[in-house]
Amino acid sequence: MIRPLLRWIDDRTGIQGLMREVLFERVPGGARWRYVWGSTLTFTFLIQVITGIILWAAYSPSSQTAWESVFYIQHQMWGGWLVRGIHHYTAQAMNILLVLHLVQVMIDGAYRAPREFNFWFGILMLLVVLALSLTGYLLPWDQKGYWATRVATNIVGLTPVVGPQLQQVLIGGVDYGHHTLTRFFALHAGVLPAMLVILTVAHIWLFRRHGIKARTPYRKPDAYFWPDQLLKDAVACLGVMAAVLLLVLTLGTPLDAPADPSEPYSAARPEWYFLFLFQLLKYFPGELELIGALVIPTVVLALLFLMPLLGRWRVGHAFNLLVLVAIFGGAGYLTVAAVRQDRSDPDHVRAVAQARRDAERAITLASAPAGIPVDGAVALLRNDAFTRGPRLFAQHCASCHYYDGHDGMGGVPKDPPTAPDLKGFASRAWIADLLDPEHVDGPRFFGGTAFKEGRMVRFVKRSIPRFSEEDQQQLALAIKALSAEANLPAQRELDAAEAEQIAAGRKALLSEAMRCTECHEFHQPIADANGPTLTGYGSRDWTIRFIADPAHADFYGSRNDRMPAYRTSGILTDTEIELITDWIRGDWYQPAAAPVPSTP
Amino acid sequence: MDPSSAPHPETPADPGRREFLTKACTVAVGGVATIPPLLGGIAVAFDPVRRPNPSGTGFVRVTRLEALPADGVPRKFTVVSDRVDAWNKFPETPVGAIYLRRISETEIVALHSTCPHAGCFVDYVPGRNHFWCPCHNSAFGVDGSIETVGSPSARGLDGLAVEIRNGNEVWVKFQNFRTGSAEQIPV
């Protein structure tokens, strides 16, 4: 039954002959491990085509949906993380396998006559694969891909004469946006794979035409490609797949925060296989950049292309191998140098940590029940206190205030603080420390301010130490009551559980013994208030109003020390003040039953 | 060196058997190597199957009784409801259209605007007092029943549950149904 059917098909297609042609390639001297690299490359390319088409069916190339659809693939779709992970790491494996294939071909001398064209096709394929990596890097439209692509396409813009026009054509306009994505996607999923398919067919056809450049002396009898060599190839492919899976499972597949042209990204680096080019550029500052960016790579490529011809020369082969060692040695040295420089640079280490924090936050917000707004996920981060609060604090507040001893972003300002440290502002611990004679005129509170020797400091340093035991207990209650005014998210449960103590504390706060209301208002007006009102102290509303205008009569009035009126003088918008306030108060979206994200 | 003149070691005892093992191993190893992307790909491709219709199947407020003419002429209304589209959530957005018809003081009939044959949008033609599907030229009566002889549709227009709440608010249970079948099956 089967046999006649096969014969019927074969009579009409010649399929059996083709299969024989494909499978029964003679391998002189038997199968060897050193011949596996070409097959692993074919295998990885097939994997990329399969996973790529699957990803294609879920990916949406526009600046409002690219990151969002990749997020959806990675975190919401069945097996999406696996397919994207395999695609991501197989791309990197291809770059390594290309180098191994090239090295094997060079060492075995398989690039020389009559195989010149096959070598040239191979170099072209190497370039196409690098172009695939470069275009694929942008598609998630995350910070990393966005900024790396800006650098790469700006280098294209350096091309003499036609540079700017070339860049404009490539990115689909003068700025990066929808058409950068559609164009890169068309290149990545259409043009470049088609080129690679054509080149691969030509490469394999030529390879079969010339036959394998067998390594001598032969150690075994001749064998055929199927099954002897193919078994070794299959084992190598399995090894590649195992390595890729291991990377997917241990490292995970990165997705940075969504691209934001308004948000600096100091952690910007190309993928590791382009790091040597990145490092090379550092040695050519300013106008000389053209040399590092275009001239040297072009010269190296030209040298590679000339190798089959140079190989005819008596010592040509040795020369070529030497050049190859120099190229890969140089690239390796530059890569290591780039990594080492980054690792020893505290600013870069901090930038990487910041990028990771933003990435995690973006995923958390995008996974929230509210979903992603139509403006895209970048709007989620722009309106998030946890993300923007510390940035705004570092920019506008940290020249006077510290936050837990740093500028909010983990950096240490060059000047000592001249205003209180706002970590835990209005919390029980913070107020208790403020009222501690040890701390009140220290750098965490009034030490750097005009109030260092003011009435509040005097009261804390002179009167509180003389408090009787009962007064001390009253003071402890008053602290709880005052802190409860802030309604801090972190203390909400505690405040609710100790409602009675807080009620008693309110009374204590108003009592003459505590002396608070000699200067501060607390839910009832007093004649000559000259300290900030304690009504709603540290609450969202109180803090927003304070930042808006600290010299308001409810706060420091005319005694205000240097703090600008951020709203009334137009330094910050309402939203920005709200973001700073919410961040200081620890008030931001947290997924239910998930660990509280750590502040830097 | 000519490959054929290379020194050949002794032939193994049972080349046929050895060859078969090699072939089997090759197929097995190669097969295993392609399993991860294949499994992942199938999972991603079939991901939509596991997602229930996210647009709620509860009642939505459509209009008020006063907006419906007393003479029983159908009127078209847009249904506004929350909609989920993959990663986006659209609160209060148009999700479809229905026809409402008043048959007594407090009785309302709701018909889905989608033709149950192939899902085209059915239009009400006031002059002929019927619903007209332009895709395959078929008509439905004002009550939704099949009017065209030999209509391609297997059932009449889909009725939807209606409730009058708070005296004069018209609430409709908006849902979509599978096309082509004689039965009304929600999707």
Side-chain angles (χ1 to χ4, degrees), chain A residues 85 89 107 152 245 292 383 515:
Chain A
Y89 286 109
I107 290 176
L245 270 186
N383 297 318
R515 299 182 53 201

Side-chain angles (χ1 to χ4, degrees), chain A residues 100-119:
Chain A
L100 291 172
H101 188 43
L102 178 62
V103 167
Q104 179 258 321
V105 163
M106 290 296 296
I107 290 176
D108 287 357
Y111 65 103
R112 288 186 292 187
R115 298 182 171 83
E116 296 96 326
F117 274 92
N118 222 6
F119 180 78

Side-chain angles (χ1 to χ4, degrees), chain A residues 173-424:
Chain A
V174 285
D175 201 6
Y176 300 79
H178 293 322
H179 268 183
T180 318
L181 279 165
T182 51
R183 281 170 177 252
F184 269 58
F185 190 41
L187 286 173
H188 184 80
V191 178
L192 294 169
M195 285 168 71
L196 199 53
V197 167
I198 294 168
L199 286 168
T200 304
V201 168
H203 193 72
I204 293 177
W205 184 74
L206 278 177
F207 161 67
R208 285 300 170 90
R209 184 185 153 87
H210 299 305
I212 194 162
K213 176 81 170 70
R215 178 108 176 143
T216 49
Y218 299 161
R219 289 191 301 213
K220 284 184 184 168
D222 292 1
Y224 284 111
F225 181 63
W226 164 257
D228 299 69
Q229 182 60 45
L230 206 53
L231 175 61
K232 288 192 163 58
D233 291 359
V235 170
C237 292
L238 184 62
V240 171
M241 181 47 67
V244 165
L245 270 186
L246 192 72
L247 288 168
V248 175
L249 293 173
T250 54
L251 297 184
T253 316
L255 177 62
D256 244 29
D260 187 346
S262 69
E263 195 56 60
Y265 186 72
S266 334
R269 291 289 179 272
E271 272 287 45
W272 62 266
Y273 40 84
F274 286 122
L275 268 182
F276 69 99
L277 283 174
F278 159 82
Q279 183 72 8
L280 186 64
L281 290 187
K282 289 188 195 166
Y283 303 114
F284 298 94
E287 295 277 294
L288 294 177
E289 192 179 15
L290 197 64
I291 298 178
L294 294 172
V295 176
I296 293 182
T298 310
V299 168
V300 168
L301 265 180
L303 212 53
L304 271 175
F305 266 92
L306 286 177
M307 278 185 176
L309 306 180
L310 294 174
R312 302 163 76 102
W313 172 36
R314 203 166 45 84
V315 290
H317 184 56
F319 174 80
N320 283 339
L321 288 182
L322 213 63
V323 170
L324 203 67
V325 168
I327 291 173
F328 286 125
Y333 169 79
L334 288 172
T335 307
V336 171
V339 171
R340 286 181 62 160
Q341 258 180 35
D342 280 347
R343 286 215 176 134
S344 59
D345 176 4
D347 286 339
H348 182 76
V349 171
R350 195 159 53 240
V352 169
Q354 183 65 39
R356 192 167 302 140
R357 178 182 185 266
D358 287 345
E360 280 172 17
R361 186 63 180 163
I363 304 295
T364 305
L365 292 174
S367 311
I372 300 172
V374 185
D375 313 358
V378 71
L380 290 174
L381 285 181
R382 284 182 186 154
N383 297 318
D384 176 40
F386 178 76
T387 306
R388 287 255 288 158
R391 287 175 163 82
L392 289 165
F393 185 90
Q395 196 181 343
H396 296 285
C397 315
S399 53
C400 300
H401 292 279
Y402 277 17
Y403 182 90
D404 202 16
H406 58 79
D407 67 354
M409 300 284 288
V412 178
K414 67 180 195 316
D415 298 318
T418 57
D421 189 313
L422 294 176
K423 168 78 192 286

Side-chain angles (χ1 to χ4, degrees), chain B:
Chain B
M1 181 184 339
D2 179 13
S4 56
S5 67
H8 287 207
E10 268 179 70
T11 336
D14 190 352
R17 192 182 151 79
R18 205 187 135 265
E19 180 126 293
F20 173 77
L21 267 177
T22 316
K23 283 179 179 173
C25 283
T26 307
V27 171
V29 171
V32 170
T34 49
I35 283 177
L38 228 49
L39 279 187
I42 290 169
V44 176
F46 284 90
D47 175 82
V49 176
R50 76 185 170 118
R51 293 185 189 273
N53 187 355
S55 313
T57 49
F59 281 85
V60 282
R61 201 177 74 91
V62 177
T63 182
R64 299 160 79 88
L65 273 176
E66 301 93 275
L68 293 168
D71 57 4
V73 173
R75 182 162 287 187
K76 191 173 78 191
F77 288 91
T78 302
V79 178
V80 174
S81 177
D82 294 348
R83 185 166 166 265
V84 178
D85 185 358
W87 54 87
N88 284 136
K89 290 203 175 112
F90 303 88
E92 299 288 298
T93 195
V95 293
I98 55 170
Y99 289 98
L100 290 181
R101 195 164 65 92
R102 195 168 186 163
I103 53 172
S104 78
E105 191 57 37
T106 55
E107 264 183 290
I108 305 291
V109 170
L111 292 175
H112 205 295
S113 63
T114 300
C115 178
H117 168 228
C120 293
F121 199 108
V122 174
D123 207 10
Y124 176 68
V125 189
R128 281 176 275 171
N129 198 30
H130 68 192
F131 293 101
W132 177 251
C133 180
C135 293
H136 298 93
N137 294 340
S138 61
F140 299 90
V142 79
D143 62 348
S145 60
I146 294 172
E147 202 174 83
T148 311
V149 178
S151 168
S153 183
R155 63 173 194 267
L157 292 180
D158 293 311
L160 298 164
V162 183
E163 274 181 15
I164 307 296
R165 295 184 186 174
N166 307 322
N168 61 1
E169 290 176 10
V170 181
W171 290 66
V172 174
K173 187 176 179 179
F174 182 76
Q175 50 186 341
N176 295 313
F177 300 96
R178 205 177 288 173
T179 53
S181 61
E183 298 292 307
Q184 202 184 35
I185 306 163
V187 289

